[in-house]
Amino acid sequence: MIRYLKREKIFILNGKNVTYALSVNKAGFLQNVYFGKKTSKNKVTEIAVNADDKLPSAEDKNFDMEFDAMPSEYAFYGRGDYNEPTAVFERRDGCLFSRFRYKAHKLKKALPELGVMPCVRGDGETLTVTLKDDFSDMEINLNYSVFNDSDIIVRNAEIKNCGTGAVKLRKAFSFCLQMDSDEYELMRFYGRWAKERTPETTGIGHGITKIQSIRGTSSHQLNPFVILKQKRCNEQKGKCFGFQLVYSGSFSLCAELSGNDKLRVYGGVSDSFFSWNLNGGETFITPQVLIACSYRGLGALSSEYHDFLRNRIIDPAFVYKKRPIVLNNWEATYFDFDDKKICEIIDAAADLGVDTFVLDDGWFGNRNTDTAGLGDWYVNENKLNGGLDGVIERCKERGLSFGLWFEPEMVSEDSDFYRKHPDYIVGKNGIRPAMGRTQYVLDFTRKEVVDCIFQTISGILSRYEISYVKWDMNRSLSEYYSESLVPDRQGEFFHRYTLGVYDLAKRLTSRFKNVLFEGCASGGGRFDAGMLYYFPQIWTSDNTDAADRARIQYGTSFGYPISAMSCHVSVCPNHQTGRTTPFETRGNIASLGPTGYELDPTVLTEEEKSATKKQIMAYKSVSQLISEGDFYRICDPFRDKVFCVCAVSKDKTSCYIVYTSLTENGKERQIKIPYLKEDGRYIIRGTKLSFTGKELKRVGITVGNLKKYYSAAFVLTEL
Ligand code: GLA
């Protein structure tokens, strides 16, 4: 609920358990008053009045220089605020300084719509505050949405040129928030290929800590999500805040601790090498940020994000729909297959109880290695005699659905597509473009390029019965230059590229509503809320080694629901790490998300086949918990050398626990589960052992000393 106290000029935004309050201070600037546990109107008013008392009076000759410590909701530049500005715009005369003052506001019982940019769905209330620059015709609309059933506040900014002359945006962040002075630690999620979203917690020093990607994707290296936590905050207790961008391209998220110990958080589209020409009357729309607050530790913060992404970002047509159990042929065959091999795989997969066969890379053009063929989206009939028709027919005969791999944003130099359209790639004429995985990036800033790919992929999706698409993206951008943009607009390149990706995703997903799209970028290189808006699930990592995957899925779970993390069982020794782990462990780790198999089912031993059938049956019995339940981290696999997590049904009548030892020097452990009904009695499925919720909370379940990489999974149900 949003209230406006007219006399005091205070806005009070109440979510489920939180209050976010802003005021127009006596100098006319919009400032933060409070963000935290739900509080009363009186408390908010008292804080606002105190803050106003500290402001200089407008008659003071030094008035203009006094805004450094003001908790600005959108920092200005060159007029007494020496923190990083939230937006900077250069006028014709080169003038850059600004100062934003409250002009008007509106309250709406609806959410903002952002064109092709992903944005929060459903119902909610929105406050839009319009700020006007004191020195130019620029205006900024700040949107704030709140929800009765969530502790997430959604913010973004719309920067509008209300004049007639063009203005160049040099920075256009989505938000700025100044926090109270408690000491916080910063959690970021870093990594690289096959090691995505590793949590790292550090203190915040004075100056600016910048988490960013300039790769054109949200990246393996740093996820567009950070948490600020009090030192004592753990999974179950303590105060923490989350900031998650709904954006998939180059981004910045910064924490700035100033000399007077004020902490500001801000970010949005990356400001490194960014610019955007805004003609008179035009508006630049920034991505949304999901800001969360928890007083019940990191577990509750994650749950807020999980519920929010499931209920308000991911496509409602898919989010709670049963996901297929997939057999993907990538690690089974790589590029080396023909129709006979594929049909054998389909037959074997059908015998195991798999739902969907996904034909990965290598089915098209002259694609027999990763050096050729990308862009030639027509079937390689030399490899697949009978074409896709034959493969799909076989799937249908065996009761399977069919899925197909694409890499829409890329092209190989050695391809018919590139020979026909050499000018369609990202780069600058006369300079050899950089290759990554022997491929070039298509210039998605250009509408004709996106149109062309849309036509091609639509053609295939219309012609064949395809129920699943894996949309891959296997290299970072480079050059950041488009021949189609005038010199003065090259700074727009990477945001325009991301808009091109969203445009294609929007057109394909809205035309092919029944197709489940899985996102992928060399594994989890573009795992973010922006992609989840279009793709209900994302291939979490190319690393399918159970021990590494446990850590990757653990890190990913801080910001994203497990129902969005695609996870497959693969063979051992593992292709990425060479490590051998028990089949059961691989199954247990892969059961924590939409699941499948990334192996050749025709070469499984009889024992492995029967284990697979059992795994699939067991998965089906917990799949609803995976997609709908509350997920909790019980042990930290980095610190404790044990991975233990659970998924609890919303009504707390059942709970699925996965435990895996990651050390030789294990010991017997008590696994405490404080998330069930204290007075309920729960039985471990398949045994006669039962416990009360209180016992599970206080004493826990004893798990014996498991050997390294051994694992246990069990289901508790209320009697
Ligand atoms: C990427 C993906 C893999 C696979 C290959 C195919 O690496 O992450 O799952 O699809 O591309 O080339």
Side-chain angles (χ1 to χ4, degrees):
M1 212 198 49
I2 305 181
R3 281 181 75 179
Y4 177 53
L5 311 181
K6 199 165 172 193
R7 195 163 48 90
E8 297 88 347
K9 295 197 182 137
I10 295 175
F11 303 97
I12 303 178
L13 289 71
N14 281 326
K16 188 177 52 173
N17 304 301
V18 293
T19 297
Y20 190 109
L22 339 158
S23 73
V24 180
N25 64 27
K26 71 177 182 202
F29 303 124
L30 188 69
Q31 70 169 56
N32 191 273
V33 175
Y34 177 89
F35 180 32
K37 218 177 246 172
K38 209 176 227 175
T39 192
S40 66
K41 170 186 156 218
N42 291 350
K43 169 96 182 284
V44 169
T45 313
E46 190 190 313
I47 303 173
V49 169
N50 277 340
D52 248 14
D53 287 348
K54 288 195 197 115
L55 283 173
S57 115
E59 282 81 57
D60 184 337
K61 288 210 167 119
N62 298 318
F63 170 82
D64 289 330
M65 293 294 278
E66 298 292 330
F67 295 98
D68 208 29
M70 181 179 80
S72 183
E73 281 288 294
Y74 209 76
F76 40 83
Y77 174 58
R79 200 72 179 186
D81 185 348
Y82 290 96
N83 299 276
E84 194 67 19
T86 319
V88 177
F89 32 82
E90 184 178 335
R91 279 84 82 185
R92 277 262 173 77
D93 54 6
C95 192
L96 291 169
F97 60 86
S98 58
R99 186 168 67 187
F100 311 123
R101 221 181 268 262
Y102 168 86
K103 179 181 167 189
H105 74 269
K106 265 193 225 143
L107 291 175
K108 259 201 323 204
K109 293 234 181 292
L111 300 177
E113 282 178 20
L114 310 185
V116 295
M117 287 248 281
C119 58
V120 172
R121 311 172 196 254
D123 55 352
E125 275 185 78
T126 303
L127 161 71
T128 303
V129 183
T130 305
L131 308 178
K132 157 95 182 65
D133 181 20
D134 279 351
F135 316 114
S136 74
D137 294 321
M138 298 297 288
E139 286 189 6
I140 297 174
N141 282 337
L142 296 182
N143 295 316
Y144 298 84
S145 303
V146 281
F147 311 87
N148 292 334
D149 60 353
S150 175
D151 287 340
I152 288 190
I153 316 278
V154 180
R155 286 190 57 179
N156 88 318
E158 297 167 11
I159 304 170
K160 185 163 185 196
N161 181 354
C162 297
T164 46
V167 157
K168 193 188 240 336
L169 292 184
R170 295 267 209 93
K171 184 196 284 270
F173 281 164
S174 301
F175 75 104
C176 167
L177 174 63
Q178 184 162 305
M179 320 274 295
D180 52 29
S181 54
D182 299 27
E183 272 187 24
Y184 290 105
E185 294 179 325
L186 178 73
M187 271 184 95
R188 71 194 80 185
F189 300 87
Y190 80 96
R192 54 180 178 267
W193 177 76
K195 189 186 190 294
E196 294 89 340
R197 290 168 297 284
T198 309
E200 180 177 45
T201 307
T202 59
I204 306 175
H206 288 86
I208 298 175
T209 307
K210 188 172 192 180
I211 309 299
Q212 78 165 2
S213 161
I214 55 165
R215 292 171 174 268
T217 56
S218 49
S219 90
H220 296 85
Q221 282 71 14
L222 281 165
N223 195 261
F225 173 52
V226 295
I227 297 174
L228 291 181
K229 61 182 270 294
Q230 284 186 321
K231 286 211 174 82
R232 293 178 313 279
C233 170
N234 59 26
E235 286 291 347
Q236 287 170 52
K237 282 195 203 104
K239 182 166 146 194
C240 51
F241 295 91
F243 298 86
Q244 184 174 119
L245 292 174
V246 186
Y247 192 59
S248 314
S250 296
F251 74 90
S252 306
L253 267 179
C254 311
E256 179 172 7
L257 187 62
S258 66
N260 49 31
D261 295 323
K262 303 285 181 205
L263 178 64
R264 281 196 188 172
V265 187
Y266 43 81
V269 174
S270 168
D271 61 334
S272 297
F273 321 111
F274 166 86
S275 69
W276 194 276
N277 284 8
L278 213 54
N279 291 321
E282 285 180 354
T283 300
F284 181 83
I285 298 182
T286 67
Q288 292 181 330
V289 58
L290 313 179
I291 305 178
C293 168
S294 159
Y295 280 75
R296 291 177 297 120
L298 295 163
L301 187 88
S302 295
S303 286
E304 284 301 317
Y305 279 109
H306 298 168
D307 284 343
F308 198 84
L309 292 172
R310 286 185 296 191
N311 296 332
R312 297 181 176 275
I313 291 280
I314 300 173
D315 185 349
F318 285 100
V319 66
Y320 295 121
K321 198 171 159 188
K322 226 182 214 155
R323 306 292 169 84
I325 291 169
V326 160
L327 186 299
N328 178 303
N329 73 306
W330 177 239
E331 287 194 19
T333 62
Y334 295 101
F335 295 105
D336 185 16
F337 58 81
D338 57 16
D339 50 296
K340 188 165 163 284
K341 178 72 201 168
I342 293 300
C343 287
E344 281 168 15
I345 290 179
I346 292 169
D347 287 346
D351 291 342
L352 295 174
V354 159
D355 302 312
T356 298
F357 168 69
V358 178
L359 185 55
D360 209 279
D361 197 354
W363 59 269
F364 50 89
N366 181 28
R367 183 77 168 165
N368 296 312
T369 66
D370 64 9
T371 61
L374 276 184
D376 294 341
W377 302 114
Y378 48 83
V379 188
N380 182 342
E381 303 236 1
N382 293 329
K383 258 168 131 169
L384 293 176
N385 188 12
L388 287 183
D389 288 317
V391 175
I392 294 171
E393 201 40 50
R394 185 60 150 250
C395 283
K396 281 168 76 177
E397 277 166 27
R398 298 304 315 263
L400 296 190
S401 299
F402 177 70
L404 196 58
W405 181 94
F406 289 95
E407 196 174 352
E409 298 153 72
M410 301 288 160
V411 67
S412 305
E413 189 176 46
D414 181 4
S415 68
D416 294 340
F417 187 92
Y418 180 73
R419 282 182 280 273
K420 190 163 167 211
H421 297 292
D423 57 319
Y424 271 18
I425 64 166
V426 171
K428 177 154 173 46
N429 290 342
I431 297 176
R432 190 178 54 78
M435 268 196 187
R437 208 192 187 205
T438 340
Q439 65 200 45
Y440 296 134
V441 183
L442 289 171
D443 185 354
F444 267 37
T445 69
R446 290 167 62 181
K447 185 159 183 316
E448 67 273 29
V449 176
V450 175
D451 285 348
C452 169
I453 301 298
F454 172 71
Q455 291 305 339
T456 313
I457 296 181
S458 290
I460 297 168
L461 297 183
S462 315
R463 154 100 172 65
Y464 299 102
E465 266 181 67
I466 295 173
S467 65
Y468 184 118
V469 164
K470 179 173 171 188
W471 174 322
D472 210 339
M473 197 282 188
N474 280 319
R475 60 159 286 189
S476 301
L477 270 58
S478 55
E479 282 92 26
Y480 311 119
Y481 190 89
S482 172
E483 286 292 347
S484 70
L485 292 170
V486 295
D488 197 30
R489 285 190 176 269
Q490 292 297 337
E492 300 178 12
F493 173 81
F494 60 84
H495 183 56
R496 285 192 183 275
Y497 179 88
T498 306
L499 293 179
V501 173
Y502 288 149
D503 181 28
L504 183 63
K506 182 169 190 147
R507 284 152 78 181
L508 286 173
T509 51
S510 45
R511 172 135 179 218
F512 300 98
K513 287 198 164 44
N514 296 325
V515 176
L516 171 63
F517 281 78
E518 173 170 286
C520 178
S522 296
R526 201 162 55 179
F527 201 119
D528 56 67
M531 281 291 113
L532 286 176
Y533 180 83
Y534 289 113
F535 307 152
Q537 61 188 54
I538 297 177
W539 180 230
T540 316
S541 175
D542 273 348
N543 192 338
T544 52
D545 170 78
D548 284 2
R549 252 319 185 100
R551 297 187 185 99
I552 293 167
Q553 292 168 208
Y554 167 87
T556 307
S557 78
F558 281 87
Y560 306 96
I562 56 169
S563 60
M565 298 181 208
S566 178
C567 305
H568 293 174
V569 175
S570 63
V571 295
C572 278
N574 179 269
H575 290 196
Q576 291 78 34
T577 63
R579 187 183 283 142
T580 294
T581 54
F583 194 73
E584 189 187 357
T585 302
R586 285 175 266 153
N588 288 346
I589 300 297
S591 73
L592 295 164
T595 200
Y597 291 82
E598 191 90 7
L599 47 71
D600 183 351
T602 66
V603 299
L604 293 180
T605 62
E606 285 309 313
E607 200 185 326
E608 284 167 337
K609 280 185 194 160
S610 85
T612 306
K613 286 183 198 164
K614 279 196 200 128
Q615 263 173 12
I616 291 178
M617 295 301 288
Y619 180 79
K620 288 189 170 160
S621 75
V622 295
S623 67
Q624 201 177 349
L625 280 172
I626 301 297
S627 67
E628 295 173 20
D630 290 326
F631 176 81
Y632 295 103
R633 295 169 294 268
I634 298 176
C635 297
D636 175 344
F638 296 91
R639 185 193 58 208
D640 307 334
K641 307 280 182 261
V642 161
F643 169 80
C644 184
V645 297
C646 70
V648 180
S649 62
K650 290 274 177 200
D651 63 5
K652 301 188 191 301
T653 56
S654 56
C655 170
Y656 175 55
I657 301 162
V658 171
Y659 178 100
T660 302
S661 162
L662 299 171
T663 176
E664 301 285 10
N665 312 311
K667 51 180 192 263
E668 190 178 279
R669 276 182 190 260
Q670 295 302 118
I671 295 302
K672 293 183 187 160
I673 304 151
Y675 305 108
L676 300 173
K677 295 183 215 164
E678 291 210 7
D679 52 359
R681 176 161 281 281
Y682 296 86
I683 184 160
I684 301 186
R685 191 191 283 168
T687 72
K688 293 205 166 74
L689 282 176
S690 75
F691 311 87
T692 64
K694 202 175 198 169
E695 284 163 349
L696 290 165
K697 179 176 173 180
R698 303 254 167 91
V699 188
I701 298 177
T702 311
V703 180
N705 180 11
L706 291 184
K707 282 202 278 185
K708 193 177 188 183
Y709 304 137
Y710 279 66
S711 175
F714 39 97
V715 178
L716 292 169
T717 28
E718 195 182 10
L719 284 172

